[in-house]
Amino acid sequence: MRDFIDLRSDTVTKPTQKMREAMMNAIVGDDCYGEDPTVNELEALAAEKMGKESAMLVPTGTMGNTSALMTHVKHGDAVILEPDCHIYYYERGNVSAIAGALPILVSGEGGCPDPDIVEDMLGRNGNRPKITLICLENTHNRACGRTIPVEKMKVIYDISRKFNVPIHLDGARIFNASIALNIDVKEIAKYADSVMFCLSKGLGAPIGSLLTGTAEFINEARKARKRLGGAMRQAGVIASAGIVALKEMTERLKEDHENAKLLADGLAKIDKVKDGLIRGETNMVMINTKIVGMKAVDLASELNKRNIKVSIYGPYTIRLVTHKDVNRDDILYAISAFDDIF
Ligand code: TLP
């Protein structure tokens, strides 16, 4: 019997040998005194990559987003969010419970809030809870890893400038977006005031995300991180793997995208599956299992019997994510497993 193929998420990726060696040899200091040279190096590299002044290492993407929310908004303010975005859907109510803000949900095509509605909401800011932040997500997880084209980000950015409201980008997978859109990450990041991105997903690092923005913003965000208990000490052990991730693992994401395409193309050839197939441009494939005639949990269980793990994304949705620890061969096997089930 072959080993399990884990397509639940790119978060399951294990650190590379080079990351493990970097972690073992990392030069460290107390980061709360700003004295960890490896953290400082990673933060400088991250800021430079995003085209921002400054960056802050946090253990998780959720803490990066939460620190950003706490820094951008005051209690009683309102935040525009797309209803399926990670901050609203998964982060346990941090926008209200921690940042004290009222979520204003704005849907739109491909996981991007509709610009016309955003403009309308901001135009009526006088007699409603004051909207002081717009959140975007690129790539968008629950929209099957879809990218938001930069032209669309620019439209929302221009609206935000008109009303003087900042944008926070959950760019957990911004490098996937940059590869798929074939542009530098800076070209995406420039349409947001703050950007969070993760090292621990497709880039393969074991731990770590970065929040980037102006120096003033990041100085404030460091206080939020402290309140959340995320100010670490010899965090260079984590940062060292992150440096390897940023320097060496971004370009290879195109392999993950090719494998997702291979998977989707293979599934599209299976009659019962093809109509339920949801495709993105990056490393995710979803299946609407209702169309396929099954509950998500039942399809996941059939796949599990064939040593394939997938995520259940709703009663009738499963998600499959490609990443560095699955190869072409694994994908071909996964297609054959679907073939076997149907
Ligand atoms: N996403 C995870 C799960 O939480 C769903 C996954 O498997 O995809 N923003 C986005 C867009 C994310 O997809 C995630 C994690 C996060 C933020 C949070 O990152 P962590 O897990 O590091 O807190």
Side-chain angles (χ1 to χ4, degrees):
M1 192 73 158
R2 60 181 301 150
D3 284 345
F4 264 96
I5 299 171
D6 197 341
L7 298 172
R8 285 173 302 172
S9 183
D10 47 11
T11 58
V12 303
T13 43
K14 308 262 169 47
T16 62
Q17 188 57 29
K18 202 153 180 193
M19 287 178 189
R20 291 172 192 269
E21 278 159 22
M23 290 166 80
M24 192 169 77
N25 297 318
I27 301 167
V28 296
D30 190 332
D31 185 45
C32 291
Y33 293 100
E35 287 176 5
D36 189 305
T38 312
V39 172
N40 294 341
E41 185 187 336
L42 172 64
E43 291 183 343
L45 181 62
E48 192 268 314
K49 288 245 175 210
M50 292 296 141
K52 302 289 180 203
E53 273 174 18
S54 198
M56 167 178 89
L57 174 66
V58 280
T60 62
T62 302
M63 191 184 285
N65 284 334
T66 310
S67 305
L69 290 167
M70 290 164 77
T71 310
H72 280 298
V73 307
K74 293 199 300 291
H75 278 219
D77 286 351
V79 177
I80 290 183
L81 296 149
E82 191 276 336
D84 252 358
C85 77
H86 197 276
I87 292 177
Y88 182 71
Y89 195 95
Y90 287 108
E91 295 186 9
R92 302 292 189 268
N94 62 358
V95 60
S96 309
I98 303 179
L102 175 77
I104 306 248
L105 299 180
V106 178
S107 306
E109 213 275 305
C112 180
D114 185 295
D116 292 338
I117 302 177
V118 170
E119 182 155 25
D120 179 67
M121 291 281 182
L122 293 176
R124 288 189 278 133
N125 231 350
N127 58 357
R128 306 192 66 203
K130 192 167 167 17
I131 297 166
T132 55
L133 184 66
I134 300 163
C135 291
L136 300 178
E137 186 175 310
N138 201 5
T139 63
H140 192 291
N141 181 348
R142 293 187 60 82
C144 199
R146 290 266 306 272
T147 54
I148 304 178
V150 279
E151 298 74 22
K152 193 160 182 187
M153 288 195 65
K154 183 177 183 311
V155 171
I156 297 189
Y157 183 78
D158 289 343
I159 295 167
S160 77
R161 296 311 97 164
K162 193 164 131 196
F163 293 97
N164 215 5
V165 171
I167 294 181
H168 170 67
L169 175 64
D170 176 345
R173 296 184 179 83
I174 194 171
F175 286 96
N176 294 84
S178 114
I179 296 279
L181 295 170
N182 199 21
I183 46 169
D184 193 278
V185 272
K186 285 192 192 79
E187 294 302 310
I188 305 172
K190 75 179 183 194
Y191 297 120
D193 298 274
S194 57
V195 179
M196 184 288 290
F197 71 91
C198 295
L199 302 166
S200 56
K201 302 200 162 56
L203 303 185
I207 304 166
S209 295
L210 286 124
L211 178 63
T212 65
T214 63
E216 194 189 348
F217 174 83
I218 293 298
N219 277 342
E220 281 307 304
R222 288 188 192 282
K223 296 175 197 162
R225 181 185 67 175
K226 188 77 180 173
R227 288 175 83 183
L228 296 171
M232 298 176 282
R233 301 295 177 176
Q234 285 74 36
V237 174
I238 294 170
S240 58
I243 292 170
V244 177
L246 266 188
K247 286 191 173 161
E248 296 185 11
M249 303 296 281
T250 57
E251 286 304 312
R252 65 149 305 288
L253 292 173
K254 63 167 92 65
E255 280 172 45
D256 300 345
H257 299 182
E258 281 159 17
N259 279 337
K261 185 172 180 310
L262 180 70
L263 178 62
D265 288 346
L267 296 181
K269 292 196 184 107
I270 303 172
D271 268 351
K272 280 202 173 151
V273 180
K274 70 170 190 285
D275 292 336
L277 197 59
I278 304 163
R279 310 175 71 135
E281 313 95 291
T282 60
N283 65 335
M284 296 183 187
V285 175
M286 290 181 176
I287 294 169
N288 177 331
T289 66
K290 194 164 204 162
I291 294 177
V292 169
M294 278 174 103
K295 284 193 171 156
V297 60
D298 296 330
L299 181 51
S301 149
E302 283 305 316
L303 288 163
N304 200 273
K305 282 184 205 156
R306 291 160 179 82
N307 280 14
I308 295 168
K309 294 185 189 180
V310 298
S311 280
I312 296 169
Y313 250 48
Y316 291 105
T317 312
I318 63 165
R319 181 186 73 162
L320 301 92
V321 184
T322 56
H323 53 77
K324 77 169 187 62
D325 295 339
V326 292
N327 58 32
R328 217 184 131 78
D329 214 40
D330 297 326
I331 299 301
L332 295 176
Y333 171 76
I335 297 166
S336 72
F338 272 92
D339 225 356
D340 188 44
I341 296 167
F342 292 99

